[in-house]
Amino acid sequence: MTPVEVEAPPALRHSVVEDVFGLLSGTFVASLGIFLLKSAQAVTGGTAGLSLLLSYATGWSFGVVYFLSNLPFLALAVRAKGWNFTLRTLLSIALVSAFAYLHPLMLPQAPLNPVYATLVGNLLAGVGMLMVFRHRSSLGGLNTLALLAQERLGWRAGWVQLGMDTAIILAALAVVPVGNVLLSAAGAVVLNVVLALNHRPGRYLG
């Protein structure tokens, strides 16, 4: 007896309301994670990590550095992913940059345990990225390259991101103390494991 093949149900697209709330929530969570990292003078990977390094080295605002450093990658996003993805990514970048000014105003500047702040900061950043990815957007920069590697080559975005992040964290040795760099490396592993275990081709549709 031949088994009856059951067709998989078509993917259900998010509604506009779901996309808006998803992007707001994802960027808020990711930016809160970055705030914890900055409070601990830690770094992470991706464009956020580069922006943190530049803000430590120059004293410039993270929000401004993060927004400007992502702009060159938008041209790549247009060619590879189209205007819909690019505009969503631009919105996500702008929201993270804006939230970077909100958290210091709303949260007390009490001393934080650096281990807690670094690990939890990366965990929140990873969860925020995951939420943004699932609404057909990214946080720009190296996130876009990682997503392209997953879609075009079948490589998991989390592992691709981890390789690029390793180079960024090594560069942090020139800017922050060695202890902070070691904590940052552990935190980056947490962030990328979140992505690698939860963002796989075919695992999530919508």
Side-chain angles (χ1 to χ4, degrees):
M1 183 175 180
T2 304
V4 177
E5 293 185 1
V6 179
E7 292 186 3
L12 297 176
R13 289 292 185 186
H14 291 115
S15 67
V16 173
V17 172
E18 289 170 335
D19 277 337
V20 170
F21 187 76
L23 292 180
L24 282 172
S25 302
T27 53
F28 181 86
V29 171
S31 66
L32 181 58
I34 294 169
F35 170 76
L36 291 178
L37 292 171
K38 195 171 190 299
S39 300
Q41 286 289 293
V43 295
T44 188
T47 316
L50 288 173
S51 300
L52 284 170
L53 285 178
L54 286 173
S55 69
Y56 298 153
T58 64
W60 298 348
S61 163
F62 168 82
V64 171
V65 174
Y66 179 74
F67 185 82
L68 293 178
S69 63
N70 272 298
L71 292 181
F73 290 95
L74 293 178
L76 172 64
V78 171
R79 292 189 59 184
K81 300 283 291 179
W83 279 104
N84 186 291
F85 175 86
T86 303
L87 292 176
R88 287 168 184 258
T89 296
L90 178 60
L91 175 61
S92 295
I93 292 167
L95 287 171
V96 170
S97 298
F99 286 139
Y101 294 98
L102 174 66
H103 299 308
L105 298 176
M106 296 293 105
L107 296 174
Q109 298 297 301
L112 294 174
N113 180 288
V115 176
Y116 175 88
T118 302
L119 296 181
V120 174
N122 276 283
L123 178 63
L124 291 176
V127 171
M129 287 182 191
L130 187 64
M131 295 170 70
V132 169
F133 288 170
R134 289 181 170 179
H135 289 272
R136 291 174 288 160
S137 181
S138 79
L139 296 184
L142 300 180
N143 282 174
T144 302
L145 294 179
L147 285 174
L148 287 174
Q150 176 165 293
E151 293 177 4
R152 301 292 176 84
L153 303 174
W155 300 348
R156 290 187 188 175
W159 300 133
V160 175
Q161 188 81 40
L162 180 59
M164 295 186 288
D165 292 352
T166 300
I168 294 170
I169 290 173
L170 289 175
L173 288 168
V175 180
V176 298
V178 174
N180 295 45
V181 173
L182 294 175
L183 274 177
S184 299
V189 171
V190 171
L191 186 155
N192 287 286
V193 166
V194 170
L195 296 182
L197 296 182
N198 293 280
H199 192 69
R200 302 185 190 181
R203 174 62 62 86
Y204 181 87
L205 299 175

